[in-house]
Amino acid sequence: MSADLRLSSLKEWDDEQVLRALTDGNRLALAELYERYWYALYRVAFQKTKSPEMAEELVQDLFVQLWQKRESLAVRRVDYYLFGALKYSIIDSIKSRIVHEKFQEYQQFFAPQADFSTEDQLSYNDLLGTIETELLKLPPKTQEVFRMSRFEGQTIPEISRKLALTDKAVEYHLSKALKLLRTQLRDYSFVLFLMLVCR
């Protein structure tokens, strides 16, 4: 039987049957669930975040996680699971945005008081702006991990506990953010780079 025929037959199955196929490693089952739910999930995410890009990313990440966790899923209702998981992803993204805004308030209040020359102050502000711009290119979870580590000084175990992630997952997100920033900050002061990125 061809892949097209198999996909066609999946459309006739109920969610529970498709979910069983997914847990058995059937990628077409994932595609079928995505087709059934992506738009409704996207609408919810967009209503909450007001960002089409973020909404799309949250939904895509949700299905990536569904595939990665397929063998250990304990799900009775796919729709309940997907919308519940999306709710927590949205909360995480909003928390990340709040952390971002708090950091901006912090640096606006304290940075002008630093004993910098005008040239150094401009370089410092330029560096901060570049860091923030580059961070926004990363997934919300990666942004959150980086900010908790570098801006709030939290340790990997503390971040793991608060975000319900493994230490390795936190290290992965941190490494991902640092790799991007190292590439983008090559032209900036080495001291400022160490201060903000390489602690």
Side-chain angles (χ1 to χ4, degrees), residues 39-112:
Y39 184 65
L41 291 164
Y42 172 84
R43 286 186 61 184
V44 171
F46 178 70
Q47 288 170 358
K48 298 298 184 182
T49 65
K50 309 302 182 187
S51 165
E53 294 81 9
M54 183 174 290
E56 183 176 349
E57 183 176 329
L58 287 170
V59 173
Q60 289 176 348
D61 285 349
L62 181 60
F63 281 95
V64 169
Q65 292 170 20
L66 183 65
W67 176 255
Q68 292 174 340
K69 297 177 180 178
R70 65 190 183 280
E71 295 179 355
S72 59
L73 285 175
V75 178
R76 292 190 178 184
R77 288 278 303 270
V78 176
D79 53 347
Y80 288 179
Y81 173 81
L82 290 174
F83 284 97
L86 179 65
K87 173 185 174 182
Y88 289 107
S89 293
I90 291 170
I91 290 171
D92 284 346
S93 71
I94 291 173
K95 285 181 179 177
S96 177
R97 188 183 302 172
I98 290 171
V99 170
H100 168 68
E101 291 170 353
K102 291 290 186 184
F103 174 73
Q104 284 189 319
E105 291 174 5
Y106 173 88
Q107 74 93 13
Q108 287 171 3
F109 182 78
F110 287 103

Side-chain angles (χ1 to χ4, degrees), residues 107-149:
Q107 74 93 13
Q108 287 171 3
F109 182 78
F110 287 103
Q113 301 178 28
D115 187 19
F116 290 160
S117 68
T118 301
E119 182 177 344
D120 286 341
Q121 184 66 57
L122 290 173
S123 295
Y124 177 77
N125 290 338
D126 191 24
L127 175 62
L128 290 178
T130 300
I131 289 174
E132 292 299 320
T133 298
E134 295 304 324
L135 281 179
L136 292 174
K137 297 177 182 178
L138 294 166
K141 184 68 70 177
T142 304
Q143 294 181 40
E144 186 174 20
V145 168
F146 180 86
R147 290 189 172 100
M148 290 175 75
S149 172

